Amino acid sequence: MSEESLSTVLQQDHSFEPSDEFAAKANGKAEMYAAAEADHEGFWAEQARKYVTWSKDFETTLDWSGAPFAKWFVGGELNVAYNCVDRHVEAGNGDRVAIHFEGEQGDTRTITYADLQKDVAKAANALTSLGVGKGDRVAIYMPMIPETVVTMLACARLGAPHSVIFGGFSAEALHTRINDAEAKLVVTTDGQWRRGKAAPLKAAVDEAMNHGDHPVENVLVVRRTGTDVEWADGRDIWWHDLVDDQPDTHEAQPMDSEHPLFILYTSGTTGKPKGIFHTTGGYLTQCAYTNSVVHDVHPESDVYWCTADVGWVTGHSYIVYGPLANGATQVLYEGTPDTPHQGRWWEIVEKYKVSILYTAPTAIRTFMKWGDDIPAKSDLSSLRLLGSVGEPINPEAWLWYRKHIGGDRCPIVDTWWQTETGAIMISPLPGVTDLEPGSAQKAIPGISAEILDDEGKPFTEPEKVGYLVLTKPWPSMLRGIWGDPERYKETYWSRFGPKYYFAGDGAKYDAKGNIWLLGRVDDVMNVSGHRLSTAEIESALVSHPKVAEAAVVGAADETTGQAVCAFVILRKEAVEEADEPGEGKDLVQELRNHVAHEIGPIAKPRSIMIVAELPKTRSGKIMRRLLRDVAENREVGDVTTLADSSVMSLIKEGMSSGA
Ligand code: WTA
């Protein structure tokens, strides 16, 4: 689409009606909204029995008497791994492909449900032999390979909650997370393929273990890249030595519906990451239901591909638990989109005839930048539905996605949810909803959302900006923050009182009543769909011996949504050094690397500005709003509440002199 016609479409306030053909076969139905509205619990009980096989049926759908701590499907028992694997084999679908694995180097593996059943059984037996049992925590620090999925399912099978830590996190971040969850086993790989190179992975586990104070008894290591690794005898075990010879059958034990399934750390407003934890029955129900009605997965005919990393919640819910519970066939790709060239994803779509693609706006904007001609080289006609998740998708990117990837025919579902919500909450239903580019539109059937003003009053007038809240408990809601119930109450259930779950996102309605999500209202940034906390990066910067004080803001960025911009005040000794010609640049580089070391490369600031002062109110609070103005190159806003109003002009001067 030319620039001109794109802006015409944008001005026209275009919405896209579902085609009759799509609507006729869609899993989502318009009647579901009314059914859920009329009987919230009855609706969810029906989904739980439809999508999940229970070893013991539940007695009570929802127990909210201990609010805000929910219990769903009380008295019910099930095994998640049985639901994701064994029951499909029992139903005669053992030959169906579960995973088409595509390694970055071009190596492939086809894993059927029958294969997966054996692999999970072997891994469950191996974990048992290491003394891992029900309730024990297992840390998983692995790339996008089948063993990662197998390990997660083996943990679920044993009732051992897993804590997956994204492979881009550093040894420091790994250490904090392993200790917080008191994991007794770590599963990792020697290395991972990234942009054609083998990057070490186990090395970070070793570094984390060198801290001494850790609860880990064993480290189980998959050989992936052949990278040399250090070895701690007695502690470290090769996967192929332990797992390969295990019996390939394993009896799955039913777990209580509220048994913890996993912990996943995410950034909050304070420096310490929160261990969000999810349980068994409610989580699986909502993952499977949404994967069916929102992604419209038809397991017998679709090839589904979610491009998220399994280290984030999207990978948990929409690579592992949702699609496998539904018995879907999916693609698992190990590498980056531009290896060996920028058309790699589209070749994968063509090769496996992918019909459903679920990805993030930051990827879509990157593809827009790379050029329309790249996807045009591949046959994308197998696609029939596109999805987006992780951050607001701007209408331009939405329309580009629809035209250049979706061939002007695929519906796009823009899905809003969070690590905390466990599964999709706000999204159109394909085949039902008229689609509005840029808006996640409407709470799905069974979910209730509202927008509140500063005083906590719900409103519906269009274009007024407020706070998104959820007004009824939902099955896949977090059950708390690991080891910190008070923080759970305070973070999510106190801002507007105990009736409202406070999501931390700004939102508005348009004239048609669609919900538009407007980004975080707290000190959480969203960089390429990754959640990062300003406080966490600030404390990483301050832990450097040369830094006295730091302030971090998320500045708008065309590709990544937001970018990390830091302002630091140096300690006196360091100021003198930095003044020497050429030293300032080295120091900035040193600080960026320091953040990568403390948290991980994803948290590296795009820019670091060395300043003499930070803008503070009289009560000493840093005014990030003003720093954001600087970082986004805007006229600086109202400075009257600053203790010293000259600070901002000093910072601006520093900017223009290139400090
Ligand atoms: C943002 C990712 C707008 C939002 C599943 C939320 C979105 C945070 C959307 C959660 C969307 C996610 N439109 N914003 N469709 N999806 N977000 O925990 O700010 O990594 O609070 O979960 O991402 O990020 P998280």
Side-chain angles (χ1 to χ4, degrees), residues 294-295 314 357-362 364 386-394 398 401 412-417 424 426-427 440:
V294 178
H295 296 128
T314 307
L357 178 71
Y358 191 36
T359 192
T362 185
I364 298 162
L386 304 175
S388 170
V389 59
E391 52 178 320
I393 176 165
N394 42 314
W398 196 105
Y401 194 26
I412 299 179
V413 288
D414 173 7
T415 62
W416 177 91
W417 58 294
I424 294 168
I426 301 178
S427 165

Side-chain angles (χ1 to χ4, degrees), residues 376-626:
K377 288 190 192 117
S378 296
D379 176 4
L380 306 181
S381 61
S382 55
L383 288 169
R384 61 174 201 90
L385 178 106
L386 304 175
S388 170
V389 59
E391 52 178 320
I393 176 165
N394 42 314
E396 292 83 346
W398 196 105
L399 290 166
W400 186 90
Y401 194 26
R402 180 177 163 94
K403 181 172 163 70
H404 295 281
I405 308 301
D408 269 333
R409 82 188 165 267
C410 303
I412 299 179
V413 288
D414 173 7
T415 62
W416 177 91
W417 58 294
Q418 308 177 298
T419 306
E420 291 87 341
T421 69
I424 294 168
M425 305 291 282
I426 301 178
S427 165
L429 286 189
V432 175
T433 317
D434 288 353
L435 303 173
E436 193 70 40
S439 163
Q441 298 193 274
K442 204 169 163 174
I444 61 167
I447 300 300
S448 307
E450 284 183 16
I451 305 179
L452 306 185
D453 65 15
D454 280 319
E455 272 73 56
K457 281 204 205 70
F459 66 84
T460 52
E461 60 232 73
E463 300 309 323
K464 176 174 161 178
V465 173
Y467 304 92
L468 180 78
V469 294
L470 304 168
T471 57
K472 281 182 193 156
W474 62 100
S476 65
M477 67 193 289
L478 74 164
R479 299 302 194 262
I481 296 177
W482 193 254
D484 201 347
E486 276 311 306
R487 190 173 175 200
Y488 166 66
K489 284 199 228 167
E490 192 196 302
T491 310
Y492 305 105
W493 301 96
S494 68
R495 175 73 169 79
F496 294 112
K499 268 176 39 199
Y500 294 114
Y501 169 89
F502 173 61
D505 276 301
K508 65 167 193 184
Y509 294 104
D510 65 17
K512 297 178 192 161
N514 291 306
I515 298 177
W516 290 67
L517 280 314
L518 304 171
R520 303 288 308 186
V521 293
D522 52 13
D523 295 331
V524 173
M525 292 168 291
N526 192 328
V527 180
S528 297
H530 300 159
R531 263 168 80 169
L532 297 168
S533 115
T534 52
E536 202 179 350
I537 301 177
E538 284 164 6
S539 67
L541 283 164
V542 177
S543 75
H544 189 281
K546 290 184 182 159
V547 175
E549 215 178 330
V552 166
V553 296
D557 183 285
E558 255 184 40
T559 308
T560 59
Q562 282 187 307
V564 180
C565 295
F567 297 81
V568 300
I569 303 181
L570 297 178
R571 286 172 191 256
K572 196 159 153 275
E573 317 79 70
V575 174
E576 286 148 20
E577 254 176 60
D579 277 346
E580 288 177 20
E583 289 301 309
K585 269 207 190 96
D586 289 350
L587 180 60
V588 164
Q589 200 46 41
E590 186 180 326
L591 295 179
R592 293 182 72 230
N593 292 340
H594 179 70
V595 173
H597 180 262
E598 293 296 302
I599 304 173
I602 47 166
K604 254 191 193 183
R606 180 184 71 185
S607 69
I608 296 184
M609 225 192 121
I610 295 170
V611 295
E613 281 301 334
L614 289 170
K616 287 186 188 158
T617 60
R618 286 176 195 94
S619 62
K621 202 171 172 315
I622 295 174
M623 293 191 69
R624 288 203 178 70
R625 168 173 67 77
L626 300 177

Side-chain angles (χ1 to χ4, degrees), residues 118-127 150 220 222 237-247:
K118 291 191 180 129
D119 290 347
V120 174
K122 284 184 180 184
N125 287 322
L127 264 51
V150 167
L220 185 58
V222 175
I237 306 158
W238 283 112
W239 175 282
H240 51 263
D241 286 342
L242 182 73
V243 181
D244 287 1
D245 295 332
Q246 296 288 334

